[in-house]
Amino acid sequence: MGKIIAIANQKGGVGKTTTAMNLAAGLGVLEKKVLLVDVDPQANSTSGVGFDPREIENGVYECLIGKVKAKDIILETKSPNLYLLPAHIDLVGAELEFVNEEDREQMMKNALLEIVNDFDYIIIDCAPSLGILTLNSLTAANSLIIPIQCEYFALEGLGKLLNTIKIVQKRLNTELTIEGLLLTMYDTRLRLSNQVVEEVKTHFQDLVFKTIIHRNVTLGESPSYGETIIIHDATSKGAINYLNLASEILENEQKKLEEENLVSNE
């Protein structure tokens, strides 16, 4: 069964979409079949892997309202083993539209149910808010990656997000775990970057990924070409960082499986 990982932080500009796109691409290069789900009304993941959101007729919104089946609108990207469930502008109104829906937090889970076994990983790029769309993503996910930029106010708002996660775990998705906190936009020249890394590691210890995403020009450029960093420049620091993150996630998965096997054999 495929693993669903949501990438979430209600703060904008923390590298959420960059992480969703390029982690998905990294897992694809490591021979995993991956679906990237764009649940951000800005549709940056959709354009970032080479599709014009204005030309998307059916996307995540239509899946959520039950108009189309997810499997019928999945798009193949240029990146190896990477597929896309796209977004378009209609998602903007979804927050208000879904407020009075019954089981409104379960819509994403239901939409992905029939395709979850078709992929090794499903990566959800969440909206930069803690609204209905993000709640839907957290309800559908097995785990969550929280990107944190290595800048001033890095931990601001994190408490609110962790609170929301606790509520989701209690009421909507008891299986939800935190895959890890990912430090992004790290600049080796700045003392502040190093201070943030130390602070986050002191607070959260083993929850922090060993891989750190460095500030990198090509990472910022690649979406404007409609390409993941792996397609755009496979030798860049950004590509190497995200391949390392993908490897770290696979290694952690392997360790968990081995631990579970040990426990069940005792």
Side-chain angles (χ1 to χ4, degrees):
M1 186 169 170
K3 182 172 188 178
I4 303 176
I5 303 176
I7 317 284
N9 192 329
Q10 78 271 31
K11 277 185 78 173
V14 296
K16 185 179 51 61
T17 296
T18 302
T19 294
M21 278 173 50
N22 294 307
L23 169 60
L27 288 165
V29 167
L30 296 174
E31 299 186 344
K32 299 295 176 187
K33 190 180 178 188
V34 187
L35 178 67
L36 175 62
V37 181
D38 192 352
V39 191
D40 186 343
Q42 296 170 78
N44 289 337
S45 277
T46 300
S47 59
V49 295
F51 295 93
D52 185 343
R54 292 167 299 184
E55 292 174 7
I56 300 293
E57 281 183 33
N58 291 310
V60 167
Y61 171 77
E62 283 74 19
C63 288
L64 293 176
I65 61 170
K67 183 183 167 188
V68 294
K69 289 186 185 302
K71 66 179 169 64
D72 295 331
I73 60 162
I74 288 170
L75 303 168
E76 194 170 347
T77 76
K78 289 180 273 188
S79 225
N81 300 316
L82 178 60
Y83 299 81
L84 173 74
L85 196 56
H88 57 69
I89 198 69
D90 280 10
L91 264 178
V92 169
E95 295 280 348
L96 284 173
E97 195 179 320
F98 296 161
V99 164
N100 297 318
E101 289 286 330
E102 206 176 319
D103 287 337
R104 60 182 182 268
E105 295 92 356
Q106 307 286 341
M107 296 164 91
M108 176 68 70
K109 189 177 184 177
N110 296 337
L112 296 179
L113 211 52
E114 64 170 9
I115 57 164
V116 72
N117 292 327
D118 299 340
F119 297 91
D120 297 306
Y121 285 90
I122 295 177
I123 306 292
I124 305 178
D125 182 17
C126 296
S129 72
L130 293 178
I132 297 271
L133 290 173
T134 299
L135 281 179
N136 258 278
S137 302
L138 296 179
T139 304
N142 302 111
S143 67
L144 166 74
I145 291 173
I146 304 169
I148 298 172
Q149 83 278 41
C150 296
E151 290 172 7
Y152 200 59
F153 294 136
L155 298 178
E156 188 190 30
L158 191 59
K160 198 174 178 187
L161 177 59
L162 293 173
N163 248 359
T164 302
I165 293 162
K166 276 181 191 163
I167 293 165
V168 170
Q169 286 168 326
K170 200 172 170 185
R171 299 184 190 167
L172 300 166
N173 182 1
T174 52
E175 306 294 304
L176 181 67
T177 61
I178 296 177
E179 189 81 28
L181 277 65
L182 177 68
L183 290 155
T184 63
M185 304 181 192
Y186 177 74
D187 190 333
T188 44
R189 299 164 302 175
L190 297 180
R191 200 170 71 192
L192 177 63
S193 278
N194 293 309
Q195 285 172 343
V196 170
V197 170
E198 288 310 310
E199 192 179 353
V200 172
K201 284 185 173 175
T202 303
H203 270 77
F204 298 101
Q205 295 166 357
D206 292 346
L207 272 180
V208 186
F209 284 111
K210 292 185 186 79
T211 305
I212 294 176
I213 310 299
H214 290 69
R215 194 174 277 285
N216 182 249
V217 174
T218 47
L219 263 182
E221 278 177 358
S222 63
S224 63
Y225 291 90
E227 294 173 342
T228 63
I229 190 65
I230 304 243
I231 293 290
H232 185 64
D233 184 355
T235 61
S236 69
K237 189 173 263 187
I240 292 160
N241 286 167
Y242 277 109
L243 275 170
N244 287 342
L245 177 64
S247 298
E248 189 176 342
I249 285 169
L250 295 181
E251 280 166 26
N252 291 344
E253 202 68 36
Q254 191 58 38
K255 273 183 207 161
K256 273 181 210 162
L257 281 172
E258 286 166 9
E259 283 165 13
E260 281 166 17
N261 287 340
L262 271 175
V263 170
S264 60
N265 290 333
E266 279 176 5

